[in-house]
């Protein structure tokens, strides 16, 4: 490399952490700024499906000991994707043969983030919330943080998620829509549960169920290779629906205590197959929280400068394709490659190549996730705009 560009990453989620590893391994001077002191403070979900795209990106950017840690803390591979009606009649079923015992097909979000942080302690600054930046005439970018701290870099990467402060300044017109679906997230710890009571498909992979009232449920196992110290194997249990189907406004849903929220999930599955209702009723009510599903509608190219974006910051999408984190990982691998190959002189060319390729594949994944959301949730057009 002709020079050593200073790269500032804002956001220590899946994409930012992966990029930090890729750049650091290549000798790039990188710092990562994360607003939260506790990385698991904001709850986004429990289980993340990892596709071959994500798996390849992880293999590309992670140093061997970190990659090993991700494999060790991942779930044992699942081999099924299936759909059911609410009476548990199979609507479709697709099996995926497990070819490698060390395959990564799903992770627990908290354990994954912890594994991805391995070895990055020296370059992460926590408690740094970016509030704005200025691109100087000489190419340097000045970052401003809520605590008054300032930093300078040759490249700023906004990896700061769906409510990105970097995007708000760089692409203020990028539309992010509330697609109208709310998820009530829960989990059922499997310790002490008779696994024979659980429909076998639920322990094999991702299963989606739906009734004729527009209420859906997703169930998927997290069976650890090596469980974290704090908790063990569990089933992710999720109820989905529009506010109308759930019979609650956002003010009501987001104001409920976890136990009340999960009570709603149990109530909505009361007439479902008893095996499903029993599982929902056995889930940990204290683990419940609501999530709003958002998506962009498209990504238009922008004039390349020294500030770019990756992951949900630039292509927020519904989880219906199981692809948001995988695409963020793909972005991280591509951007690490481009920045590593570039000297200080042609950084903007490298960023332009990254943006062109990323916008191409990410646009297709966003469209797919919206199509899947239509099929799964029956929403045809996002009904309301959302600011974060
Ligand atoms: C319910 C649900 C289920 C999902 N399931 C899947 C799945 O199975 N497979 C899949 O591929 N994807 C899934 N996704 C999508 C996936 O979670 C996201 O696409 C992924 O987390 C995006 O990673 P990211 O690094 O871009 O952003 P994030 O993981 O959101 O990380 C952003 C980080 O930036 C920090 N930050 C934010 N603002 C600032 C600021 N101003 N200054 C400093 N730091 C800041 C945040 O604290 C956070 O740590 C799911 C999403 C949801 C909501």
């Amino acid at each position: 490399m002709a020079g050593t560009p200073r790269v500032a990453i804002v956001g220590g989620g899946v994409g930012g952490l992966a990029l930090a590893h890729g750049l650091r391994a290549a000798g790039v001077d990188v710092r990562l700024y994360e607003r939260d002191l506790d990385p698991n403070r904001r709850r986004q979900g429990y289980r993340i499906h990892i596709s071959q795209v994500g798996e390849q990106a992880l293999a590309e950017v992670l140093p061997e000991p970190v990659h090993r840690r991700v494999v060790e803390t991942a779930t044992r591979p699942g081999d099924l994707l299936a759909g059911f009606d609410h009476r548990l009649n199979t609507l479709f079923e697709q099996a995926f043969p497990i070819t490698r015992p060390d395959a990564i097909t799903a992770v627990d979000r908290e354990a994954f983030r912890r594994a991805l942080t391995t070895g990055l302690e020296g370059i992460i600054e926590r408690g740094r919330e970016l509030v704005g930046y200025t691109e100087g005439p000489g190419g340097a970018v000045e970052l401003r943080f809520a605590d008054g701290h300032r930093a300078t870099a040759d490249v700023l990467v906004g990896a700061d998620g769906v409510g990105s402060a970097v995007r708000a300044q760089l692409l203020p017109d990028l539309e992010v829509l509330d697609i109208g679906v709310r998820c009530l997230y829960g989990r059922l710890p499997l310790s002490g549960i008779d696994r024979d009571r659980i429909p076998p498909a639920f322990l094999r992979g991702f299963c989606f169920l739906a009734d004729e009232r527009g209420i859906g449920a997703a169930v998927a196992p997290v069976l650890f290779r090596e469980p974290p110290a704090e908790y063990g194997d569990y089933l992710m249990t999720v109820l989905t629906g529009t506010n109308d189907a759930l019979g609650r406004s956002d003010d009501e849903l987001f104001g409920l205590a976890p136990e009340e929220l999960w009570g709603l999930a149990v109530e909505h599955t009361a007439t479902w197959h008893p095996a499903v209702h029993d599982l929902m009723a056995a889930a940990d009510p204290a683990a419940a929280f609501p999530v709003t599903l958002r998506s962009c509608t498209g990504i238009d190219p922008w004039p390349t400068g020294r500030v770019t974006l990756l992951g949900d910051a630039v292509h927020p999408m519904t989880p219906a394709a199981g692809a948001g984190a995988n695409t963020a990982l793909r972005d991280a691998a591509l951007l690490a490659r481009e920045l590593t190959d570039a000297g200080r002189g042609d950084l903007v060319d490298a960023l332009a190549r990254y943006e062109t390729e990323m916008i191409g594949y990410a646009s297709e994944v966003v469209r797919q996730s919206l199509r899947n959301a239509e099929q799964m949730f029956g929403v045809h057009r996002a009904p309301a705009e959302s600011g974060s």
Side-chain angles (χ1 to χ4, degrees):
M1 194 163 59
T4 48
R6 294 160 303 167
V7 178
I9 303 169
V10 171
V14 172
L17 292 169
L19 177 64
H21 278 296
L23 292 177
R24 200 170 77 146
V28 175
D29 178 359
V30 57
R31 290 210 76 73
L32 189 152
Y33 302 94
E34 164 58 45
R35 73 178 164 195
D36 290 338
L37 291 172
D38 172 4
N40 296 306
R41 210 190 106 211
R42 290 165 218 258
R43 295 198 282 181
Q44 288 176 295
Y46 286 120
R47 177 187 185 271
I48 302 179
H49 159 71
I50 299 292
S51 66
Q52 284 183 356
V53 168
E55 211 188 358
Q56 273 168 18
L58 288 168
E60 184 176 335
V61 295
L62 298 184
E64 200 280 327
V66 183
H67 188 264
R68 198 174 345 114
R69 200 64 206 128
V70 170
V71 171
E72 284 164 358
T73 56
T75 75
R76 294 200 290 276
D79 72 343
L80 187 73
L81 175 68
F84 302 87
D85 68 15
H86 69 295
R87 302 301 305 166
L88 215 46
N89 298 305
T90 306
L91 302 178
F92 70 88
E93 202 175 69
Q94 197 179 350
F96 304 90
I98 299 165
T99 49
R100 289 182 296 111
D102 63 345
I104 310 171
T105 61
V107 292
D108 168 69
R109 195 178 278 269
E110 201 174 315
F112 187 44
R113 204 188 260 220
R114 210 177 291 165
L116 283 180
T117 306
T118 312
L120 291 181
E121 294 78 10
I123 68 157
I124 299 182
E125 292 189 32
R126 297 194 184 284
R128 296 267 195 245
E129 179 179 358
L130 184 100
V131 290
Y133 66 83
T134 309
E135 281 190 79
V141 186
E142 189 184 34
L143 288 67
R144 296 186 304 281
F145 296 90
D147 60 359
H149 182 73
R150 285 172 188 247
T152 307
D154 298 307
V155 173
L156 163 60
V157 182
D160 47 347
V162 63
S164 171
V166 180
R167 184 190 68 234
Q169 188 172 338
L170 183 66
L171 304 178
D173 296 330
L174 191 137
E175 206 179 10
V176 180
L177 298 165
D178 172 347
I179 72 156
V181 177
R182 305 292 173 258
C183 297
L184 316 190
Y185 260 77
R187 67 177 176 188
L188 167 67
L190 289 172
S191 59
I193 295 278
D194 176 3
R195 295 190 188 193
D196 290 340
R197 281 176 48 207
I198 300 174
F202 292 4
L203 291 167
R204 283 182 55 197
F206 186 90
C207 297
F208 190 77
L209 304 90
D211 69 13
E212 65 289 336
R213 298 169 304 142
I215 296 289
V219 182
V222 173
L223 308 173
F224 288 103
R225 290 193 171 110
E226 182 191 304
E230 303 84 356
Y231 51 96
D233 294 346
Y234 63 88
L235 272 189
M236 175 187 81
T237 49
V238 186
L239 194 88
T240 66
T242 59
N243 290 107
D244 279 353
L246 292 167
R248 294 286 195 287
S249 69
D250 271 351
D251 281 349
E252 289 169 325
L253 273 186
F254 286 82
L256 291 175
E259 292 76 8
E260 295 169 319
L261 190 73
W262 198 250
L264 196 60
V266 176
E267 197 182 297
H268 273 293
T269 53
T271 58
W272 289 28
H273 190 287
V276 182
H277 178 65
D278 287 354
L279 283 188
M280 300 303 261
D284 176 9
F289 62 93
V291 173
T292 297
L293 297 192
R294 297 192 168 93
S295 177
C296 65
T297 51
I299 317 155
D300 292 327
W302 62 91
T304 302
R306 296 293 190 104
V307 180
T308 195
L309 296 163
L310 68 67
D312 277 9
V314 62
H315 45 66
M317 64 182 82
T318 83
N326 290 293
T327 312
L329 291 169
R330 181 177 181 177
D331 298 348
L334 173 62
L335 184 53
R337 222 179 301 139
E338 292 293 356
L339 285 174
T340 303
D341 289 347
R344 204 183 260 272
D346 56 357
L347 282 175
V348 175
D349 288 348
L351 293 176
R353 284 193 298 275
Y354 159 72
E355 286 166 4
T356 303
E357 189 172 336
M358 178 273 292
I359 289 170
Y361 61 71
S363 300
E364 179 45 43
V365 185
V366 166
R367 280 193 290 275
Q368 184 64 52
S369 87
L370 280 169
R371 283 195 295 270
N372 289 8
E374 280 184 22
Q375 283 175 1
M376 286 171 83
F377 310 124
V379 285
H380 297 293
R381 174 68 191 159
E385 262 190 58
S386 168
S388 62

